[in-house]
């Protein structure tokens, strides 16, 4: 990650708070013992391509992609960060976050369950898988939109 000022860290945190999303996905994976794995992700969606490109250039992280257009809506774009990039940026912006602070905490906990650099065929302990499932459920609950 590029060296960024405290002002820029707070700006990025505000952008993530307002336009961003932390998510944990359950993905099919035949090479896993259980047939699935959990993957963390952070992205920011905005109609202003230049704002997202600026975040990419400022941090040196992620990629900016055009989203599939939706009928009756302006074209929008995503600044997507991989799980390793999320691990790198969140500690820098966390102190400035307000709205999605709980999601950021949960994502950092999730990332701490990763076995970085593990070899193919590595099997996670049942307790780690159960912990990740609980985090997946908690993140889904925090991100739920609509009336309950």
């Amino acid at each position: 990650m590029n060296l960024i000022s405290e002002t820029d860290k707070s700006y990025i945190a505000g952008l993530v708070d307002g336009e961003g999303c932390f998510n944990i996905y359950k993905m099919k994976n035949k090479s896993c013992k259980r047939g699935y794995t959990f993957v963390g992700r952070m992205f920011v969606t905005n109609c202003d391509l230049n704002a997202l490109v600026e975040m990419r250039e400022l941090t040196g992280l992620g990629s900016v992609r055009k989203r599939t257009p939706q009928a009756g809506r302006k074209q929008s774009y995503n600044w997507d960060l991989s799980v390793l990039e999320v691990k790198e940026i969140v500690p820098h912006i966390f102190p400035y976050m307000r709205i999605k602070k709980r999601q950021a905490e949960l994502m950092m906990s999730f990332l701490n369950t990763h076995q970085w650099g593990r070899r193919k065929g590595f099997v996670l302990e049942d307790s780690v898988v159960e912990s990740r499932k609980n985090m997946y459920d908690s993140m889904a609950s925090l991100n739920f939109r609509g009336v309950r």
Side-chain angles (χ1 to χ4, degrees):
M1 186 168 120
N2 296 341
L3 186 62
I4 55 177
S5 70
E6 296 303 309
T7 302
D8 287 335
K9 290 175 187 178
S10 65
Y11 179 76
I12 294 167
L15 193 61
V16 172
D17 264 346
E19 305 288 338
C21 180
F22 291 96
N23 214 334
I24 298 171
Y25 296 92
K26 185 176 180 180
M27 297 180 64
K28 290 181 182 179
N29 187 336
K30 293 178 182 178
S31 68
C32 291
K33 173 184 169 184
R34 292 166 184 84
Y36 63 89
T37 188
F38 293 102
V39 178
R41 179 179 172 214
M42 181 185 105
F43 61 92
V44 176
T45 302
N46 200 287
C47 295
D48 186 348
L49 174 61
N50 293 331
L52 300 181
V53 169
E54 181 182 348
M55 294 303 100
R56 164 72 184 98
E57 290 173 354
L58 184 65
T59 63
L61 300 174
S63 59
V64 176
R65 295 190 170 99
K66 186 176 183 177
R67 295 185 71 203
T68 303
Q70 296 180 1
R73 298 223 171 166
K74 288 171 67 175
Q75 178 62 60
S76 62
Y77 306 87
N78 274 357
W79 174 39
D80 290 307
L81 283 84
S82 72
V83 68
L84 288 171
E85 292 168 329
V86 173
K87 183 178 183 188
E88 199 169 344
I89 196 170
V90 171
H92 295 281
I93 65 173
F94 184 78
Y96 303 102
M97 297 194 73
R98 295 184 179 172
I99 298 168
K100 294 191 172 89
K101 197 162 196 148
R102 180 64 187 116
Q103 285 94 326
E105 283 176 331
L106 195 56
M107 181 59 71
M108 290 308 294
S109 294
F110 175 78
L111 294 174
N112 287 334
T113 68
H114 272 265
Q115 307 293 320
W116 305 102
R118 68 178 189 232
R119 295 180 307 274
K120 189 172 183 161
F122 179 84
V123 178
L124 287 173
E125 295 176 17
D126 290 340
S127 62
V128 173
V129 173
E130 186 61 30
S131 177
R132 286 182 176 187
K133 169 130 180 36
N134 290 339
M135 289 181 228
Y136 165 81
D137 292 338
S138 294
M139 188 71 82
S141 178
L142 287 169
N143 289 340
F144 180 80
R145 298 188 321 189
V147 179
R148 288 191 182 207

